[in-house]
Amino acid sequence: MRTLALLTAAAMTAGLALAAPSQARATGLALPAPTGAYRVGVTDLHLVDQDRADPWVPERRRELMVSLWFPATGRGGAADPYTTPAESRLILEQLRATTVPPEALSTVRTFARTGIRALPGPSRPLVVLSPGFSYPRTSLTALAEDLASRGYVVAGIDHTYEAAAITFPDGRITTCLVCTLSKPNPVLSAQITSGRAADTSFVLDELTRHRLPSGIRVDATRIAMAGHSIGGTSAAETMLRDRRIDAGINMDGTFAPPLARPLHRPFLMLGAEVHGRPGADPTWDTTWQHLTGWRRWLTVTGTTHASFTDYATIGEQAGLPVQPLSGDRCADLTRTYVAAFMDRHLRHRGTLLAGPSPENPEVVFQA
């Protein structure tokens, strides 16, 4: 039985220790190149919700760091650093990747550029990304860059005090305070999920009500949310609370808590093979019964919990693979099926999700 313990940093990092320590390396680390037609820009936003106390540090207002990836025009700009050296050290400590040089993540090559403007044109559909517990928003960068290259605006949210390292404009770096509070339990998991739903609704308010930097324009009538691990749980919970989100994806997250009432909008459950039937994770079976709109349950053979993040590729390049399937193939399948879902439900096109594909035999349609 898959338990809530899989939300902990220790469990999530088990996949990073599959290779012998002597194989660890930190040269030539790079994300896979985006597959869409557009250049990609990125900018960071610092948002403060003056109407809400931080759930973990109540004496502070809730503040969030958000990255916006978008289709961009022209050349120039600067390469977007994957992390700072200080963030890299804290993230690798949280991941228990002790055989990798502390600054390794700061050397990872990305493809988005800072300091360039959005491609002119109509408002674009928006995809919100929520990372797994203790993971930073950067852990979903390859997915974000790929979606932006296909014409989406993508907002990656860092949930403060729930990630290994978040840097704010004044130089402060917050760490995963919640990781130190208690062992995983249903009450804590529900609190995290509820807080992330509130975070997401606040971010949507900010992105749809105010003029955005770099000429970015979002279409408030076409919004989806995808999350990894507890970020995927949060996608479902947020959809129940905020009708602006048209469709959602849970990437290998235990539903904590499972859905307790019907969700009538499209939802995709995309998981590692442990999430295949029968009943490997009862929260998926329970939630499936409450998905009353368009729905799919897919698993990917040869994957583990971290396979739907950048660490599938980076871990393999560093000599610490997180799954049997190649990191590049994990990235390809994740990006292909997430994009197919977004295209189907925000752009009303594409047929990949109609059923199994002979080109992608690793992807199993459970339902």
Side-chain angles (χ1 to χ4, degrees), residues 64-356:
L64 303 169
M65 291 302 300
V66 177
S67 288
L68 287 182
W69 290 269
F70 53 90
T73 184
R75 298 188 178 277
D80 182 42
Y82 190 66
T83 71
T84 67
E87 290 169 340
S88 177
R89 176 179 58 80
L90 290 167
I91 294 167
L92 291 172
E93 285 179 0
Q94 189 77 50
L95 293 173
R96 299 185 182 178
T98 56
T99 63
V100 179
E103 74 285 355
L105 294 180
S106 68
T107 71
V108 174
R109 181 190 176 192
T110 64
F111 290 85
R113 309 288 290 185
T114 62
I116 56 177
R117 292 189 62 77
L119 189 71
S123 300
R124 299 186 179 276
L126 173 66
V127 178
V128 177
L129 298 181
S130 179
F133 183 62
S134 88
Y135 283 18
R137 69 189 189 276
T138 54
S139 64
L140 299 174
T141 296
L143 175 60
E145 290 183 339
D146 191 67
L147 287 169
S149 78
R150 296 170 183 254
Y152 293 92
V153 173
V154 183
I157 304 175
D158 253 336
H159 302 280
T160 312
Y161 303 114
E162 299 171 29
I166 304 172
T167 302
F168 288 88
D170 61 4
R172 285 176 299 127
I173 301 179
T174 61
T175 58
C176 189
L177 174 63
V178 185
C179 295
T180 69
L181 292 181
S182 72
K183 294 181 179 180
N185 61 78
V187 174
L188 178 61
S189 297
Q191 188 177 359
I192 293 170
T193 301
S194 177
R196 289 189 176 208
D199 286 348
T200 303
S201 291
F202 168 64
V203 169
L204 291 183
D205 291 343
E206 295 294 296
L207 298 185
T208 58
R209 294 177 183 175
H210 305 295
R211 184 180 297 276
L212 299 176
S214 304
I216 301 167
R217 298 177 62 194
V218 299
D219 184 346
T221 68
R222 293 186 292 167
I223 300 174
M225 182 176 178
H228 170 246
S229 194
I230 203 167
T233 299
S234 302
E237 182 66 23
T238 306
M239 289 180 70
L240 288 176
R241 302 182 183 203
D242 194 326
R243 293 198 58 82
R244 291 176 293 181
I245 302 176
D246 301 298
I249 302 176
N250 176 2
M251 296 185 291
D252 205 56
T254 293
F255 286 93
L259 288 191
R261 53 193 175 94
L263 176 59
H264 303 301
R265 280 160 284 156
F267 202 86
L268 169 65
M269 303 194 313
L270 175 65
E273 56 186 315
V274 71
H275 272 125
R277 294 182 183 272
D281 182 344
T283 71
W284 278 45
D285 294 282
T286 300
T287 296
W288 180 255
Q289 298 171 15
H290 290 288
L291 298 178
T292 56
W294 184 101
R295 61 182 184 171
R296 291 290 186 275
W297 179 337
L298 310 184
T299 56
V300 183
T301 304
T303 58
T304 61
H305 190 56
S307 300
F308 304 92
T309 74
D310 295 346
Y311 304 144
T313 301
I314 295 172
E316 183 173 83
Q317 292 171 356
L320 300 173
V322 304
Q323 71 280 306
L325 190 63
S326 81
D328 285 346
R329 185 60 174 159
C330 289
D332 178 52
L333 291 173
T334 299
R335 298 190 303 176
T336 295
Y337 279 85
V338 170
F341 178 85
M342 300 304 171
D343 284 349
R344 181 183 183 108
H345 298 293
L346 298 185
R347 290 171 162 166
H348 308 293
R349 68 191 191 198
T351 59
L352 181 62
L353 288 165

